[in-house]
Structures are given as structure tokens and as C-alpha cells.
Amino acid sequence: MKTAALLGLPEGMEVDQIQITETGLVVKVLSTRPQSCCPLCLQPSSHIHSYYHRTLKDAPCAGRQLELRLCVRKFLCRNPDCSRKVFTERIADLAEPWARMTSRLREQITSIGLATCGKGGVRLADRLGIETSRNTTLRRIMDIPNEARASVVYLGIDDFAFRRGYRFGTILVDLESHRPIDLLPDRQAETAAAWMRDNPEIQVVSRDRSSTYASAASQAVPHAIQVADRFHLCKNLTEATQLLLSRCQAEIAAASHTEEPTHSESGKPVIGISEWRAPEPAHVEKARLQRRAGRKARYEKLVQRHEQGLSTKEIACQLDLSQRTERRWLASGTFPEAKKRRKKHSDFDLFAPYVLKRWQEGERNGMELWREIAAQGYTGSERTVYRHLETLKQANVQTSLDPNRLHKFTANTAVWLFVRDKKSLDEVEQEDLATFCQASPTLKRTYDLVADFLRMVRKREGYRLDTWLEQVATSDLPELQSFAAGVEKDKEAVKAGLTWAINNAQVEGQVTKLKLIKRTMYGRAGFALLRQRVLHAV
Ligand SMILES: [Zn+2]
């Protein structure tokens, strides 16, 4: 009785005997239910006609294969109106009438198949003590019924490659339940439209920027709102920016070749615009000079003791210096000045070229300059502007650049400075970006427009799209204009994409999952099998 419960056998099934064989366990089971129902007339009967044996493979027990040898009965149907005279005892909760394995083993094989498929599945099953074949595993997957699914209101649609660059299919995702709901064998507008026509309850279609799914949705569910995916929008903008950058690189290269003198005629030091910073506050300067004086005193003592003939080790000990520093100082021959601190990025940098231009035009009013750049988006204080102007009085700032700074970039790598959120750039990257903008006025204008578009994307400010498009139209940036022309063609969907929270990110996620499944099938995925595995993936 207890063993039967342990093995999870249905009520009325008793374990008669357990044998341990080379391959596993063989459990003999007797049915002791007093009666059984006729499958035809559903009348119970307790008149046993005969006994027979049935063998079922069962889910493994403690890592051993398990075989159930059932002794079940045939009953006589005593209902005079029933055409069935003899029927076999039903054990539906354990196995289907003609099955050779228990339902629970079948479910396990199905799960293994969905997770691994084919030969890999057979090997995994073997490890788990389940004997099966590749065909059985595949048949189990194909046998899973596709129940009628709930209606889909928010549909995400995208394509995927069966073979990269050759053959494509379409994946449809319910954006509410986050589940893939169907796969289509191609990416034709007609196929997608036919599918959508069967689902007229669709209210929103989130899609990529291609015209295929756009026209499918317009044909089949014209009432639905189409949402252009933000990811694809940003990708297209990035591509346009990259083209623009490669055009501007010649411009930058020319600018960076001008040699810069270190002192101008007026005797003031000359600094590059990327090194333009506000003067140190008095207390910082004082502390720096104190540190310098301390270092200088130690340096002088070091030289003195060295001349007296003391050993390196003795001197190091007396002056509390490392021997390495001592050797370095002696080798240099003169007092080594501390390295200049690298300039820290400031919000002012992006506006530096503008302020410098106005200064050279003769504008000396700090408040006015602050007002002008604040109108362009500068968020710093007027005090910072005043302090930068202070430097201008003491040095000549030149717009020429550190010629080596931008050499490491290709259009391909530089584009990321332009399209990433500025807050995610580290200090060096922010300086690089500022240098690009200072090197080329075209790039500064580009950056402003690109950053503005991305702000619109991040903050869902679709209502600003028209203004943005107008600004691009009047700019002299053909690459951005051609991006804008594409947006114009699909404007309503783009505006929806920039306004609604909905997007295709999770569809992309499902495509990634699909690729993973496809890969475990070694590229031989038939469409039907792939569809089953994707729709029923665990
Ligand atoms: Zn009957």
C-alpha cells in the first residue's frame, strides 16, 4: 500500500512485487478496484470476464529505469441496451488506453525534447534513466496540441532568419503575456496580413521600420495603431550619423594639422580649447604651492646628501622616500615638477567654442554670454562662465586641437560618443566628444540634433517630432535629412513609437531565444518543429 503511494500509482493499484534487474526496476502491479465503468454506456460493472497483462514504461525511479507490469481485468457490460459486451479496465490517470508508456513519462520526454531536441535529447534522457529514441522525442514535440489561444490585442511582429541572409520567417509575440504566439514560414506581407485578418481584435501592432509589416497591418487591421520600434529608429539614426562622421573626418584631419605656437605675440600663453578650464580657486592654488614647496625642499636635501656620498638606501630612509623615486629624481637632474592634472570634463566644454567666438567678436559681458548659452541648453551656473572668462584674460585660447586626440577614432567607433546618453560616457569619452564638436561646427550641429532626437526617444516626447523634422530640414546635413525623409514617410507610426511605452524590445528577446533553439537543432530545423519548440518552450 505504502509502496504504491510512493510510486504515485492511482488508487486501487497495489504493488505485488518489486524486482531489481540489470537495467532497472520491474514492479508488478495488481488492480484491485471492485468495479470499472463501460467506456460506451458508462455503466459500472463488477463482473470480471478475464485477466490480462500490460507492460508500461514509467518515469525513472531513483535514477533507475522503471517498468510497470500491470495485471488488469476485462469486465462484462451487463447493460442490455449496450452493444459492448466485454471491456478492458480503464487506467486513464496512469496511461492512455493503447499507450506503452505512462503519461508522466511521456510528459518528461516531451519536456526533454522541447529543451534539447534530437540526439542531444536522447543522450540527456539516457543520463536521467529514460530510454527513448530520437524519433519518439520528435514525435512527442509534434504531438503537443496547439490549444486555441486567447485573443491578442497588443501584437509585436518581427522577422528572424532560418539561414542568415537567405531565408526568413516571422515571429508574432503577444506583448501583454510576453509569449510568442505564432511563427510564420516567411516574411511576406500577404502571409502576415492573412494571419492578422484572423485576429481582428488586434489594437496595436509594434513593428520594425520595414514597409512589409506596415503594409500587412494597414491591409488587414486598418483600425490598429502602428508603432514603429524605437530600437530600429535609433539604429537608423546611428547609421545616418556614422555616414556624416566619415564625411567630416577629412574636415577634422585638416583642422588638427595646424601647428600651434605655445606663446602668442602678446606674450600670453596659448592653450588649446580642449584644455581651457577655469583658474584654480585661491585655496586650491595655495595648497598646491605648499605641496610643491615641500617637494622642492626634499629634492634639495636629496641632492645635498647624495653629494656627501650617502648610499641610496640611507637617503631614502632619512627622507622617507622610496628608492625608486629617489633614483628617478636624481636621474632627471632638475627639480621634477608635479605632472599637470588632467583637465576634468565640465558641462561648459560643449559651449566653449561658442563662448570663445563671442569673446573674439568682442562680447565681454559674462551674464550675457551665460544667458546665450543657457538658451542653448547649458545648465551650469553663471559663476562657472565668469571663471572661464577669467582664464581668457590671462591666456590666449585657440580653437586648434590636440592633433593626436581624435586619431584613434573611426566613424564606426566615434558614432557611439554621439548616440550614447551623455551621462553614460566616462570623463575621457566626454572630452573626446567635446573635442569632436570643437573640431567641426558641422559635428556640433549634428550632435545637438541627434541628442535632441534621442532625448525625445527616452522621454517619449513624440509631440516634438514635427519641430525636430523642421530643424533637420533647414540644416545643411544631408545624412540626417535622408533619415528624416524616412521618418516622414512613416510619421504616424514613428510618433506613436516616440509616445507610447510599448516597443519591440521583448520581441527582439524572443528572436534571441528562437535563435538559441534553432542552434540546438544544428541548423536542420524544419519549420513545423521549430514552431512547436518556440511556442511551447519552457
Ligand atoms: Zn456498456
Side-chain angles (χ1 to χ4, degrees), residues 91-109:
I91 43 167
D93 30 6
L94 190 64
E96 297 295 323
W98 288 278
R100 286 157 67 189
M101 62 174 79
T102 58
S103 304
R104 58 192 181 195
L105 177 60
R106 197 193 56 213
E107 280 160 22
Q108 287 189 358
I109 292 178

Side-chain angles (χ1 to χ4, degrees), residues 280 282-298 335 337-338:
E280 287 172 314
H283 68 277
V284 176
E285 190 183 7
K286 198 173 152 204
R288 184 170 57 81
L289 291 177
Q290 270 173 5
R291 277 198 307 273
R292 183 179 184 275
R295 273 161 57 89
K296 188 142 198 234
R298 280 213 287 185
F335 169 61
E337 292 285 356

Side-chain angles (χ1 to χ4, degrees), residues 485-502:
V487 169
E488 197 76 52
K489 273 188 214 148
D490 195 21
K491 196 156 90 180
E492 286 318 304
V494 171
K495 214 179 256 182
L498 293 180
T499 310
W500 289 51
I502 207 162

Side-chain angles (χ1 to χ4, degrees), residues 95-324:
E96 297 295 323
W98 288 278
R100 286 157 67 189
M101 62 174 79
T102 58
S103 304
R104 58 192 181 195
L105 177 60
R106 197 193 56 213
E107 280 160 22
Q108 287 189 358
I109 292 178
T110 309
S111 300
I112 290 173
L114 284 173
T116 58
C117 213
K119 276 184 190 164
V122 176
R123 278 197 298 271
L124 174 62
D126 189 51
R127 285 275 181 99
L128 300 175
I130 298 171
E131 196 187 3
T132 183
S133 72
R134 190 165 167 264
N135 283 338
T136 309
T137 320
L138 294 181
R139 210 165 43 236
R140 287 284 82 88
I141 301 172
M142 297 311 293
D143 283 349
I144 308 171
N146 287 310
E147 313 110 33
R149 63 196 139 67
S151 61
V152 51
V153 178
Y154 295 91
L155 176 72
I157 186 168
D158 205 353
D159 60 2
F160 67 88
F162 286 110
R163 231 183 112 198
R164 207 191 311 172
Y166 288 93
R167 224 156 61 74
F168 296 87
T170 298
I171 185 169
L172 299 141
V173 177
D174 184 340
L175 297 178
E176 278 184 300
S177 70
H178 297 245
R179 296 278 310 171
I181 34 179
D182 214 342
L183 295 191
L184 305 178
D186 59 41
R187 56 167 179 187
Q188 308 285 323
E190 297 75 47
T191 318
W195 191 94
M196 290 183 204
R197 244 178 243 119
D198 288 341
N199 296 271
E201 67 282 358
I202 295 172
Q203 293 295 327
V204 172
V205 178
S206 173
R207 55 159 172 86
D208 61 5
R209 306 276 332 278
S210 79
S211 57
T212 315
Y213 297 134
S215 78
S218 314
Q219 283 172 41
V221 281
H223 57 275
I225 295 171
Q226 294 185 33
V227 181
D229 180 45
R230 290 191 286 278
F231 168 78
H232 288 100
L233 267 176
C234 296
K235 188 164 163 263
N236 296 350
L237 181 64
T238 305
E239 286 158 1
T241 311
Q242 196 176 327
L243 284 177
L244 210 153
L245 268 163
S246 40
R247 176 165 67 84
C248 286
Q249 269 180 334
E251 195 181 327
I252 296 170
S256 67
H257 281 310
T258 48
E259 292 290 320
E260 48 182 302
T262 50
H263 279 85
S264 67
E265 284 156 23
S266 60
K268 286 194 208 168
V270 172
I271 50 173
I273 194 163
S274 54
E275 285 303 313
W276 179 14
R277 54 176 139 180
E280 287 172 314
H283 68 277
V284 176
E285 190 183 7
K286 198 173 152 204
R288 184 170 57 81
L289 291 177
Q290 270 173 5
R291 277 198 307 273
R292 183 179 184 275
R295 273 161 57 89
K296 188 142 198 234
R298 280 213 287 185
Y299 174 73
E300 276 153 11
K301 279 185 198 154
L302 165 70
V303 174
Q304 201 184 12
R305 308 226 165 142
H306 186 68
E307 277 164 2
Q308 288 167 0
L310 267 75
S311 77
T312 330
K313 202 172 171 187
E314 279 170 313
I315 303 177
C317 198
Q318 284 181 14
L319 298 181
D320 193 21
L321 268 177
S322 80
Q323 292 189 44
R324 221 175 117 219

